[in-house]
Amino acid sequence: MTSARVLSLLVLLAVLGAACGDSPDVLPDPRDGRSGLQMSGLLRDRQIAVSVGLPVLNTTDCDVNDGPDRDVCVIAEDINGELLRVIFENPIALQEGAVLPVGSDCRTDAECDEVLDAAVIEFELGDRPRVRAESGTLRLEVVEPGQRYRGDFDVRLPDGSLSATFDLVPRPDELS
């Protein structure tokens, strides 16, 4: 065996050995390809599947026609190319490590903004009216307001259910 092959084999073994070691507690920066939204389920009697690496993250007012407020929105396309928006109506309740029930009987943006003991999540597919989740659970692992939201949810809607995992960050062009 030539010395170049021996060296290549040693490098390969070192890399494989490093991969088998303990994984770090801190994940790499999601902007290095670790961010995204994966969601599936039934929305308005339509099968939904979303898998996108860098959806749009909006942390201002996602429903400007309903009066000024703050929201956290995720904007992506489902696998059929239809625009999907996930709107967290009460970002004040989004706290790192929180496990929140989903659902509230709040009626206005101002009322929903003040809900602290539950997550108020709405979904909008294409030009169809929004649908609010009625029940379920939202789990948040990381919350850096306006910068990163990582967690998962499993929600029930009046006419379906959705499950998702997410690691949301602003797009690089949104940071400037």
Side-chain angles (χ1 to χ4, degrees):
M1 200 182 272
T2 68
S3 61
R5 282 188 174 176
V6 171
L7 182 60
S8 295
L9 182 59
L10 290 174
V11 169
L12 177 62
L13 289 174
V15 169
L16 290 175
C20 293
D22 292 335
S23 61
D25 290 336
V26 178
L27 292 175
D29 186 342
R31 289 176 190 85
D32 290 334
R34 300 280 180 159
S35 66
L37 169 67
Q38 293 75 43
M39 182 168 52
S40 63
L42 196 63
L43 175 62
R44 293 201 176 271
D45 298 323
R46 178 164 174 228
Q47 193 67 35
I48 297 293
V50 175
S51 183
V52 61
L54 198 54
V56 174
L57 173 64
N58 180 351
T59 58
T60 60
D61 189 1
C62 301
D63 43 18
V64 295
N65 295 332
D66 293 337
D69 72 335
R70 302 232 10 123
D71 306 306
V72 171
C73 303
V74 184
I75 304 167
E77 290 183 351
D78 73 354
I79 61 170
N80 294 316
E82 192 156 15
L83 192 65
L84 173 73
R85 295 190 327 150
V86 180
I87 302 107
F88 296 91
E89 287 287 346
N90 58 334
I92 193 167
L94 306 180
Q95 302 293 320
E96 189 162 315
V99 177
L100 296 169
V102 174
S104 173
D105 59 358
C106 63
R107 303 233 183 271
T108 66
D109 282 346
E111 287 177 9
C112 292
D113 287 347
E114 300 302 319
V115 174
L116 297 175
D117 59 348
V120 181
I121 308 174
E122 295 182 342
F123 302 88
E124 186 175 2
L125 182 63
D127 59 358
R128 297 167 186 85
R130 281 189 188 181
V131 176
R132 182 176 291 172
E134 296 179 329
S135 63
T137 304
L138 169 67
R139 285 172 287 287
L140 295 161
E141 296 173 34
V142 176
V143 174
E144 297 170 13
Q147 294 300 308
R148 187 175 186 194
Y149 301 85
R150 184 175 74 208
D152 62 80
F153 62 76
D154 182 19
V155 298
R156 271 134 329 273
L157 308 163
D159 52 3
S161 63
L162 294 168
S163 295
T165 60
F166 55 87
D167 193 346
L168 308 168
V169 297
R171 291 178 175 210
D173 60 332
E174 296 169 353
L175 294 174
S176 44

